[in-house]
Amino acid sequence: MIERNFYKDKKAKLYHQNEEEIHLKSYVFGNGIRLLISLGTMTAIALFFEKSGMDNTSIIVLYVMAAILTARFTEGYIFGTIASVVSIFIYNFLFIAPRYTFSVEQKMYTLSFIVMVTVSLLASGITSKLKKRVEQEKIQAKKMEMLYNTDGSFLKARDIEQVIENCGENLVNILGKTVLITIADERRNLMEPHVYICNSNGSENLFRLVKEREVIKECFRTAKPKGIGVKLKSSDCENKLLKSESNAYYVPIKGNYLTLGVIGVACYKREILSDEEKKIIKIVAEQTAIALERENIYTRRHRAIIEGEGEKLVQKINRITGSNYATLDDFLYDNSTVNKLSDED
């Protein structure tokens, strides 16, 4: 296999990281600092408001805002929920008599606490959902931009090797997974695969397994997706290697009349690809097929031009020399130094 490594910056990835890759300490520390800053800032403003003679309603609004800000600038729902609950205890400790205790003398404050925590939880939850949706839309827009750039890179390709290179590199950038690409030669045999490795997590080793090679051949033969997440037909189950579970998803590169090759995507720990990711792979496979057919047409046309020029040159030589050479190689052989020396001997 021909392999290339890609080390993606975790901050620039367009895909969800595996849980094992998330550093728990940095996650808690970073979000915890944002939580403390949000609550500390709102508490300082609340103390200023109290000295200015404002009522408790304004202070409650400040702590609801603290929960919203925490949800906005932290990851997930956890820290927004913590801010909603902690803000009640801070409000009770600093602003409700008896002060600097967590006891409550008047029962009316109990209802205020319930309303406060309910509003804070709802507000932080809505904020977190909106933030997540915005991030997903940004990722989707970035992927669409990458797909557009992929199509442009195929147009700039000068040969089949560049087409394969562009396909593998762009899929790694979009999916963040190790990718295999293999195409067929003129005899309809699959050539040596190109593997584009993402972050060297070991997923490239699965493409060396015999069962994966059989799945690749079956994908090429049937011109249908194979591998993880694809249901096997009864005819496929007769092959023991195909019946065993695959660790990758394979899509054929289909031309107008023939299957040109196969694209495989390694699935880390048997992670099933989403429908969106499968659509992206299909789109890139179609773009690759168009680019490969264009290069094949260009190669055949270039070869025909060379052969035509060669025939014209042979005819011209025959007219000048009065000989009857069938090809240019015959003329070159008859007039080569080696041939003349052998005739003299």
Side-chain angles (χ1 to χ4, degrees), residues 209-221:
L209 300 176
V210 176
K211 68 175 182 179
E212 297 298 338
R213 295 176 185 174
E214 291 297 322
V215 178
I216 292 171
K217 292 178 182 178
E218 186 67 13
C219 177
F220 179 74
R221 185 183 68 82

Side-chain angles (χ1 to χ4, degrees), residues 43-56 58-59 62 94-95 99-100:
T43 299
I45 296 174
L47 291 171
F48 175 77
F49 278 9
E50 185 190 32
K51 290 182 179 180
S52 301
M54 293 200 177
D55 56 5
N56 288 345
S58 301
I59 297 175
L62 285 176
L94 294 178
F95 302 101
R99 297 201 173 194
Y100 311 117

Side-chain angles (χ1 to χ4, degrees), residues 9-284:
D9 183 4
K10 291 183 178 181
K11 295 181 180 179
K13 284 182 180 179
L14 293 179
Y15 54 94
H16 299 292
Q17 300 177 13
N18 297 310
E19 292 182 0
E20 295 179 357
E21 295 179 353
I22 298 176
H23 202 293
L24 183 60
K25 289 183 179 180
S26 61
Y27 173 77
V28 173
F29 181 77
N31 291 291
I33 291 295
R34 297 185 187 98
L35 170 64
L36 293 176
I37 290 174
S38 177
L39 290 175
T41 302
M42 290 305 165
T43 299
I45 296 174
L47 291 171
F48 175 77
F49 278 9
E50 185 190 32
K51 290 182 179 180
S52 301
M54 293 200 177
D55 56 5
N56 288 345
T57 304
S58 301
I59 297 175
I60 292 174
V61 171
L62 285 176
Y63 281 108
V64 172
M65 186 177 295
I68 295 173
L69 291 174
T70 303
R72 168 62 182 84
F73 295 104
T74 57
E75 300 175 13
Y77 302 90
I78 298 175
F79 292 93
T81 303
I82 293 174
S84 302
V85 176
V86 171
S87 61
I88 295 176
F89 291 98
I90 296 175
Y91 175 68
N92 182 23
F93 187 80
L94 294 178
F95 302 101
I96 302 298
R99 297 201 173 194
Y100 311 117
T101 64
F102 292 106
S103 60
V104 180
E105 291 182 349
Q106 299 181 15
K107 293 183 179 181
M108 60 174 292
Y109 286 115
T110 304
L111 180 60
S112 299
F113 292 158
I114 294 173
V115 173
M116 181 178 174
V117 71
T118 302
V119 173
S120 298
L121 288 173
L122 288 174
S124 63
I126 293 172
T127 303
S128 298
K129 286 183 178 180
L130 289 175
K131 177 187 173 183
K132 188 176 181 180
R133 182 174 297 179
V134 170
E135 290 177 351
Q136 289 176 346
E137 289 178 354
K138 287 181 178 179
I139 291 173
Q140 184 67 20
K142 187 65 176 177
K143 286 181 178 180
M144 292 301 103
E145 181 184 353
M146 284 185 168
L147 283 175
Y148 177 79
N149 294 334
T150 301
D151 193 29
S153 65
F154 283 141
L155 293 174
K156 296 177 182 178
R158 298 301 179 188
D159 52 34
I160 292 178
E161 287 294 326
Q162 285 190 11
V163 172
I164 297 173
E165 189 83 5
N166 291 336
C167 176
E169 185 173 350
N170 285 304
L171 272 179
V172 169
N173 287 331
I174 296 173
L175 300 175
K177 302 182 188 304
T178 298
V179 175
L180 172 143
I181 303 170
T182 178
I183 61 173
D185 57 17
E186 295 179 352
R187 297 182 180 180
R188 307 296 302 151
N189 295 320
L190 290 175
M191 296 191 294
E192 186 177 12
H194 292 67
V195 178
Y196 299 87
I197 305 169
C198 182
N199 289 331
S200 294
N201 57 6
S203 57
E204 68 276 5
N205 295 324
L206 69 91
F207 290 124
R208 297 186 176 94
L209 300 176
V210 176
K211 68 175 182 179
E212 297 298 338
R213 295 176 185 174
E214 291 297 322
V215 178
I216 292 171
K217 292 178 182 178
E218 186 67 13
C219 177
F220 179 74
R221 185 183 68 82
T222 60
K224 293 181 180 179
K226 299 291 179 182
I228 188 169
V230 179
K231 294 183 179 178
L232 291 175
K233 295 182 179 180
S234 56
S235 59
D236 296 334
C237 292
E238 295 176 359
N239 190 329
K240 293 182 179 180
L241 289 172
L242 294 179
K243 191 174 180 180
S244 61
E245 295 180 342
S246 176
N247 294 287
Y249 178 74
Y250 301 96
V251 172
I253 304 174
K254 294 191 291 186
N256 290 327
Y257 305 102
L258 297 172
T259 304
L260 305 176
V262 175
I263 295 175
V265 178
C267 299
Y268 184 75
K269 292 189 175 180
R270 296 192 51 75
E271 176 189 5
I272 297 177
L273 299 177
S274 64
D275 293 337
E276 179 190 353
E277 289 174 324
K278 291 179 180 179
K279 288 179 182 178
I280 290 174
I281 299 170
K282 183 179 178 182
I283 292 172
V284 174

Side-chain angles (χ1 to χ4, degrees), residues 290-327:
I290 294 172
L292 288 175
E293 287 190 328
R294 185 185 67 244
E295 292 301 322
N296 289 333
I297 291 172
Y298 173 79
T299 301
R300 289 194 296 268
R301 184 176 298 174
H302 185 65
R303 187 184 302 166
I305 291 173
I306 293 175
E307 291 176 354
E309 293 295 330
E311 291 177 359
K312 292 179 181 179
L313 182 58
V314 170
Q315 292 174 3
K316 188 174 182 179
I317 291 171
N318 289 336
R319 285 197 303 267
I320 295 173
T321 61
S323 303
N324 190 22
Y325 295 110
T327 63

